Amino acid sequence: MRLINVLVVDDSAFMRKMISDILNGHPKMNVIATARNGKDALEKLHELQPDVITLDVEMPIMDGMTTLQKIMAEKPTPVVMLSSLTQDGTEKTLESMTLGAVDFIAKPSGSISLNIRDKEAEIRTKVLQAVNANVNKLVEKEIKKPVIPMNTQRVASNVTKSNLIVGIGTSTGGPRALQQVVTQLPKEFPAPIVIVQHMPAGFTNSLAKRLDNLSQINVKEAEDQEVLQNGTAYIAPGGKQLRVEQRGNQLITRTTKEEPRNGHQPSVDVLFESLAELSSRQVYTVIMTGMGADGANGLITVKQKKQDTVAFSESQETCVVYGMPQAAEKTRLVDHVVRLPDISNALVKQIKA
């Protein structure tokens, strides 16, 4: 069995040792070296050619963001960022997702987290997953297509103003994929959009604000008991499940702290199952890049209860990790397999058709 060779980069000697011990404790992983800053990391990257790098966001001499950009420019390699939960830390972490990082881990108690062992399972899982990521897709320049405006009069002639809803599910590689899709939707988009991005508490609000600043539609973190509005995207808060309920003519969000569903909270399955109960709504689902199979069972449920549901999945060609879309496609219930740059326009054209 070939070991996954990992380079651990952190300015704290304590953190380097703890992360190395966590990774070396797994039979499939081997820490081949550690580095105390970005300059040191780049030298060891070229010398040792690791399979995966864990990279601290905040370091002296050369910080994590600069290091990440140089890694992706010089020798693209799967990178998992380690970040503090500060406001600055969350914003830099989300930026790193657009610069080529595969995933991130939130340090539980700051730059030097004495309780980093609490994250042992997550660290091992994300490093194991990262080695399978399609890094070439992360370093490709995003293809920005012109936004197709909605002809609101034409749309209104086919569907009533508020009988549409779109559900999107994504995980590894998702922040970058969402930026590609959400920013290309027209401001007059005639439906609310509910989104599950696998992400811990403290990061989804920053993700929503980032997308809102870049998009024509409104984007926000979902709040409990909120009335959904057309032309607004609602991102499930990290660490909570998101459901949509129908009350009269209105759609209402429900966010609740529960046991994770198959390890996920928020869960795409939970969201999609709630959409299946919206009796008078036309549902559109989109499953994009991500590890695992979250969303596939939810897709089965919504298709069984609402046969007119239109399902999209991101094609393998553009996925960073072709896990969730592949699981969805294996149900044989996906109507359209679409490249990432084409998803927003395909969705608009389907609604206008």
Side-chain angles (χ1 to χ4, degrees), residues 76-93:
T77 303
V79 174
V80 177
M81 306 297 291
L82 277 90
S83 164
S84 66
L85 278 166
T86 63
Q87 183 65 33
D88 185 52
T90 58
E91 290 173 358
K92 284 182 177 177
T93 301

Side-chain angles (χ1 to χ4, degrees), residues 196-215:
V196 164
Q197 161 69 57
H198 294 161
M199 191 173 273
F203 288 86
T204 43
N205 189 44
S206 293
L207 175 63
K209 288 179 179 177
R210 179 182 179 85
L211 291 175
D212 186 60
N213 288 334
L214 297 170
S215 303

Side-chain angles (χ1 to χ4, degrees), residues 311-328:
F312 295 82
S313 69
E314 181 183 352
S315 71
Q316 183 177 8
E317 179 188 352
T318 60
C319 277
V320 173
V321 179
Y322 183 56
M324 287 166 54
Q326 182 181 40

Side-chain angles (χ1 to χ4, degrees), residues 4 30 59 80 148 176 191 220 294 335-336 353:
I4 297 169
N30 172 48
M59 297 182 296
V80 177
I148 298 180
R176 185 176 180 276
K220 68 185 300 294
D294 191 23
D335 301 292
H336 306 282

Side-chain angles (χ1 to χ4, degrees), residues 55-76:
L55 181 60
D56 188 22
V57 170
E58 298 163 354
M59 297 182 296
I61 301 178
M62 185 186 293
D63 67 6
M65 303 301 290
T66 304
T67 306
L68 175 65
Q69 288 176 288
K70 288 184 177 293
I71 290 169
M72 292 305 158
E74 296 175 15
K75 186 174 176 50

Side-chain angles (χ1 to χ4, degrees), residues 4-10 23 33 35 41-42 44-46 49-56 67-68 71-72 75-82 101-103 126-127 130-131:
I4 297 169
N5 290 322
V6 186
L7 172 63
V8 173
V9 187
D10 199 295
L23 295 174
L42 289 171
K44 289 175 177 173
L45 167 67
H46 291 286
Q49 301 186 34
D51 300 308
V52 182
I53 299 170
T54 69
L55 181 60
D56 188 22
T67 306
L68 175 65
I71 290 169
M72 292 305 158
K75 186 174 176 50
T77 303
V79 174
V80 177
M81 306 297 291
L82 277 90
V102 173
D103 212 333
K126 289 190 172 179
V127 170
V131 77

